[in-house]
Amino acid sequence: MRDMMGLMKQAQEMQQKMANVQAELDMIEVEGAAGGGMVTVTMTAKGALKAVRIDPALMVADEREILEDLIVAASTDARNRAERVMQERMAEITKGLPIPPGMKLF
């Protein structure tokens, strides 16, 4: 029975840590870039888009399609960075717990 109580306590502690990380991820901002930094996208680690910056040199009507592609690429880059941040934070919380490989907690 002691083991069960210890396990329950450990689960409650992990749940609190996960809630703290969720709040933290809302505050962490990551930046993705494309076109050698001519387009940058800022988003939270949870994926909420915060800002898009476009170099004025890209504001050419005939090159709209290139600009659109660069915005998508920068967004993808930012999202990949955000996922890495989430994985790092989760690894800190779940260190030592027997969680099956590939299981996502978020």
Side-chain angles (χ1 to χ4, degrees), residues 14 17-18 21 25 83-97 99 103-106:
M14 188 174 94
K17 287 179 184 178
M18 286 180 68
V21 168
L25 291 174
E83 286 178 11
R84 280 195 299 273
V85 169
M86 271 202 286
Q87 289 172 353
E88 290 169 5
R89 295 296 191 267
M90 287 306 299
E92 292 170 12
I93 290 175
T94 60
K95 189 173 17 178
L97 294 176
I99 296 176
M103 181 177 169
K104 292 188 176 190
L105 298 175
F106 281 102

Side-chain angles (χ1 to χ4, degrees), residues 3-17 93-98:
D3 289 49
M4 182 60 94
M5 294 300 289
L7 187 60
M8 292 294 288
K9 183 178 179 186
Q10 190 176 20
Q12 287 174 339
E13 288 172 359
M14 188 174 94
Q15 187 176 21
Q16 181 60 48
K17 287 179 184 178
I93 290 175
T94 60
K95 189 173 17 178
L97 294 176

Side-chain angles (χ1 to χ4, degrees), residues 10-76:
Q10 190 176 20
Q12 287 174 339
E13 288 172 359
M14 188 174 94
Q15 187 176 21
Q16 181 60 48
K17 287 179 184 178
M18 286 180 68
N20 293 343
V21 168
Q22 284 285 346
E24 182 183 339
L25 291 174
D26 276 330
M27 304 303 290
I28 295 173
E29 291 186 357
V30 295
E31 190 172 276
M38 294 185 81
V39 174
T40 59
V41 171
T42 304
M43 65 175 50
T44 67
K46 287 179 80 175
L49 187 62
K50 300 295 257 183
V52 175
R53 284 178 298 287
I54 301 168
D55 187 300
L58 291 173
M59 299 295 196
V60 178
D62 293 343
E63 296 181 5
R64 188 184 100 215
E65 195 171 310
I66 293 170
L67 178 57
E68 291 169 346
D69 290 343
L70 289 173
I71 291 170
V72 170
S75 296
T76 300

